[in-house]
Amino acid sequence: MATTLPRRLFGAFLLAAALALAPAAAVAAFLALALVSAWIPLLAGAALTTALAVGSLLGRAAFTLFGVTTRRRRATALFAAGLTTCVAVLGSVTVFRPMPAPDAGPVPQGVQYWRTPAGDRLAYVHQRAAGTPRPTPVIFLHGGPGTPGEGVPRAGQALAAAGFDVYAYDQTGSGRSTRLRDVRDYTVARHVADLETVRRAIGAERVILVGQSWGASLAAQYLAAHGNRVARAVFTSPGALWGRTRPGSEAGDPWKRLTPAQRERREELAGEPRILAASLLLRVNPRAAHALVGDREADHWMRETALTGKDGGSCPGAAPAPAHHNPLGFYANQLTSTDFEEIPDPRPALRTAHVPALVLRGDCDYLAPEVAREYVTTLPDTRFVAVEGAGHALPRDRPARYRSLLLDFVTRG
């Protein structure tokens, strides 16, 4: 009895261990195979096979310790099959349970499309100049990456009234523009090339760039590569000049200003098992992440997350910001942000870019003041203006002041 009881206890321990180890081993197998394949059925099959193997090995050992002899094989098979079934059911209600993926809705009137050399579409809107157009059009660059606005910004309408052709477009992978089949192609270089495609499409020798947040970062990257094509540049609430100097949220954290209800909702969304799985796969094989969670699912999840923090870009106490329905781009956001931290330093090229530039920053922008200041210390012909009573969403917080500064700057000389 003294010998039998420890054996049975250890056998019970092995069965309990199998219950914990099988799901963990399945996940490990899923991720390991994702290193070389993005085919989800194969990854899922490998995960279940691994769970079955764990159940078989530990089950056989446990039943041996229990003293089962005549029906050990059958008991082992039933235990392993039951354990594998449990893992499959667990996966089906978590990682493999689709998230909401509603249709994007009707395309507003006035949206048009350019074609890139690769055949992809860039959605854009165009506000024609009043009267005789000035020779240099204005292009607005949205933030994110992957968070477009809707239509021409209000300040752009004022510029059009002053004689500028004004364009605003959805960067590749966001809004109503093409989602790429291979998400690894969402790079800073791709966005710079797209902007050059836009310049050529509108037939302009030079353009005026107005970038908001990440759009300012993109404008700086374009300026470093095509400085002779930029007449003037406006960096509004600019993001990092180079991702490697301020990776992740080191430049500033917009989520610190959430209310308790908003924070709870964001945590709920962040804990979605399907997104957690996609986030892990992004580090292993981005194509596998995209195969698991498609664009519509991921973009809708990103929109729901962004809605929890849409008011965090303004000063405390500001009126709630209106929401629009132009789709966000999850994979454009994730992969471009990663690439932004890996690209070469643009600052040496920017130090020789003698292009008039205006840097605008609100006094309660969540981004550190040093982020905007780096534009001033790097670009040789730059003016900095601090705007009181404005946050990161400066154009919305102080529309009249923003419009005045913009008009004054772009109509000079």
Side-chain angles (χ1 to χ4, degrees):
M1 184 71 178
T3 304
T4 303
L5 181 58
R7 288 171 60 88
R8 289 182 176 179
L9 288 175
F10 189 56
F13 169 78
L14 290 179
L15 292 181
L19 296 177
L21 288 175
V27 170
F30 188 92
L31 294 174
L33 192 56
L35 288 168
V36 296
S37 176
W39 191 36
I40 299 302
L42 178 63
L43 306 187
L48 293 179
T49 300
T50 302
L52 182 65
V54 169
S56 298
L57 289 172
L58 295 183
R60 179 178 178 81
F63 292 124
T64 299
L65 290 171
F66 288 153
V68 177
T69 55
T70 57
R71 298 184 179 180
R72 182 190 306 160
R73 182 175 299 178
R74 181 181 178 185
T76 299
L78 288 175
F79 175 76
L83 183 58
T84 305
T85 300
C86 289
V87 171
V89 170
L90 180 62
S92 69
V93 299
T94 54
V95 172
F96 293 100
R97 182 182 181 182
M99 298 184 297
D103 292 331
V107 177
Q109 187 176 4
V111 174
Q112 304 176 68
Y113 297 92
W114 289 305
R115 286 283 182 183
T116 70
D120 300 318
R121 299 199 312 175
L122 291 174
Y124 74 97
V125 287
H126 175 204
Q127 184 85 30
R128 295 187 179 277
T132 303
R134 297 176 186 251
T136 310
V138 177
I139 302 174
F140 279 84
L141 304 174
H142 66 72
T147 57
E150 184 70 274
V152 170
R154 284 185 293 176
Q157 297 170 18
L159 293 177
F164 293 93
D165 272 313
V166 178
Y167 297 86
Y169 73 98
D170 299 339
Q171 295 159 27
T172 296
S174 63
R176 300 177 180 92
S177 293
T178 295
R179 299 312 192 260
L180 301 180
R181 292 184 63 182
D182 190 340
V183 295
R184 296 173 299 180
D185 290 337
Y186 289 122
T187 63
V188 175
R190 169 61 188 255
H191 291 300
V192 170
D194 285 346
L195 182 49
E196 175 63 3
T197 294
V198 169
R199 184 197 64 79
R200 292 179 179 180
I202 61 182
E205 284 297 316
R206 297 198 301 165
V207 294
I208 297 171
L209 299 179
V210 182
Q212 164 78 25
S213 191
W214 149 256
S217 304
L218 175 57
Q221 291 290 325
Y222 183 84
L223 183 58
H226 303 282
N228 62 323
R229 298 301 187 182
V230 181
R232 290 178 180 270
V234 180
F235 304 103
T236 306
S237 306
L241 194 59
W242 183 33
R244 196 177 301 178
T245 60
R246 297 181 183 276
S249 61
E250 287 188 17
D253 186 0
W255 307 109
K256 288 183 178 180
R257 299 180 178 179
L258 299 183
T259 65
Q262 290 170 336
R263 186 172 294 106
E264 181 180 356
R265 173 59 176 156
R266 180 173 179 260
E267 289 174 355
E268 176 188 350
L269 289 164
E272 166 60 50
R274 199 159 164 80
I275 282 294
L276 292 175
S279 297
L280 285 173
L281 287 172
L282 278 171
R283 302 178 184 181
V284 176
N285 183 349
R287 294 187 305 116
H290 190 219
L292 176 68
V293 182
D295 289 301
R296 282 176 54 191
E297 278 186 81
D299 292 354
H300 179 71
W301 176 89
M302 184 175 172
R303 181 178 190 274
E304 290 297 301
T305 301
L307 286 175
T308 68
K310 68 179 179 65
D311 300 326
S314 297
C315 295
H324 62 75
H325 296 283
N326 198 9
L328 277 59
F330 174 81
Y331 288 106
N333 174 274
Q334 297 292 301
L335 275 301
T336 304
S337 296
T338 298
D339 184 63
F340 189 41
E341 297 176 7
E342 298 173 352
I343 60 174
D345 188 351
R347 293 173 297 183
L350 291 173
R351 291 189 181 103
T352 64
H354 291 274
V355 173
L358 175 65
V359 177
L360 303 175
R361 181 185 183 276
D363 61 354
C364 54
D365 193 335
Y366 65 81
L367 291 181
E370 295 77 18
V371 176
R373 285 291 180 186
E374 189 171 23
Y375 284 76
V376 181
T377 58
T378 302
L379 294 162
D381 189 7
T382 304
R383 176 189 173 205
F384 175 79
V385 178
V387 180
E388 294 184 1
H392 194 64
L394 190 155
R396 183 180 70 233
D397 293 344
R398 294 293 306 277
R401 175 67 169 150
Y402 178 63
R403 184 168 59 248
S404 174
L405 289 166
L406 206 57
L407 278 168
D408 177 70
F409 177 72
V410 301
T411 55
R412 290 181 187 176

